[in-house]
Amino acid sequence: MSGSASIDDLLAFEEERPRQDDRERGGRAGRVFRALAGNAALVAVLVVGLRAVGLQVSLVILVAGVFAVSGVRRIAAALAPPPAARSRPPVSQYDDGTWNWSARDALRAAINGWELPLDWSTTRPERFTGVILPRLAELADERLRLKHAVTRESDPFRARALLGDRLWTFLESPPRRPPSPRDLAVIVAELEKI
């Protein structure tokens, strides 16, 4: 196995970067153009609306009013404080023992990162040998390296003794079909014993 991913790399979770808002793209000229186009459209709607009800207002006054309101709105938005960070609910003195499933944590992301490929491997066995098995092999090598300073490649005899025959055979000669959930649980338990 030539991969050099650590357990931290395999279980790492990156926050999704927020998408750039349309107002942030295009630079200053684009923002100015959009502001002018929006204000011009608003002036046109106001002129049509006022004329429909029989009122006539000077075009200069209408344009000045729309631009003034737009400017005040933009200045107020620029001076507004940043949104408050979402506060966590206070921890009560007595924990009810339930899991907060809506919380985003790295463990949940790692579990979800394994859940989808495992689910796919039930219908497509080649997914198991191509995706899951290499991850399990990397985890085994990483645990061997961290706890015993060997890998399957550097010292195969010692690694085989540490892994045990069942786990060694599973990693070195993959089965034709994905193991059952019970067998996979036994394999993972053996992997955790390393």
Side-chain angles (χ1 to χ4, degrees), residues 20 33 44 60 67 73 80 95 110-111 123 131 160:
Q20 279 189 327
F33 178 73
V60 174
F67 276 90
R73 190 179 137 261
D95 186 11
I111 290 169
T123 57
V131 176
R160 184 176 188 147

Side-chain angles (χ1 to χ4, degrees), residues 5-176:
S6 69
I7 289 177
D8 292 332
D9 293 337
L10 294 171
L11 300 178
F13 173 72
E14 278 189 32
E15 282 286 327
E16 290 183 16
R17 294 183 180 188
R19 287 188 228 154
Q20 279 189 327
D21 200 38
D22 287 339
R23 290 173 278 159
E24 294 176 359
R25 285 188 266 156
R28 184 179 177 137
R31 286 192 306 265
V32 169
F33 178 73
R34 281 190 296 277
L36 288 174
N39 288 341
L42 184 59
V43 167
V45 168
L46 286 174
V47 166
V48 170
L50 289 174
R51 293 222 172 128
V53 294
L55 295 174
Q56 285 197 355
V57 178
S58 170
L59 187 61
V60 174
I61 292 174
L62 198 57
V63 170
V66 167
F67 276 90
V69 170
S70 175
V72 168
R73 190 179 137 261
R74 288 183 185 280
I75 290 171
L79 296 177
R86 291 183 199 162
S87 63
R88 298 175 74 188
V91 178
S92 65
Q93 184 177 1
Y94 302 103
D95 186 11
D96 62 357
T98 59
W99 178 258
N100 181 5
W101 292 104
S102 64
R104 293 185 65 179
D105 64 345
L107 179 60
R108 171 53 67 193
I111 290 169
N112 288 342
W114 281 82
E115 184 177 26
L116 190 59
L118 279 170
D119 188 38
W120 285 342
S121 68
T122 59
T123 57
R124 294 177 49 204
E126 68 274 4
R127 294 280 300 171
F128 181 82
T129 56
V131 176
I132 301 299
L133 195 59
R135 286 183 180 181
L136 290 173
E138 287 177 11
L139 283 172
D141 280 337
E142 187 67 15
R143 289 185 71 87
L144 286 170
R145 187 185 66 78
L146 290 173
K147 294 194 176 201
H148 304 284
V150 297
T151 62
R152 292 179 305 134
E153 192 174 291
S154 68
D155 190 355
F157 297 112
R158 185 161 178 231
R160 184 176 188 147
L162 291 168
L163 289 173
D165 286 332
R166 180 178 180 151
L167 187 55
W168 177 266
T169 304
F170 176 76
L171 294 174
E172 291 298 319
S173 57
R176 286 183 280 163

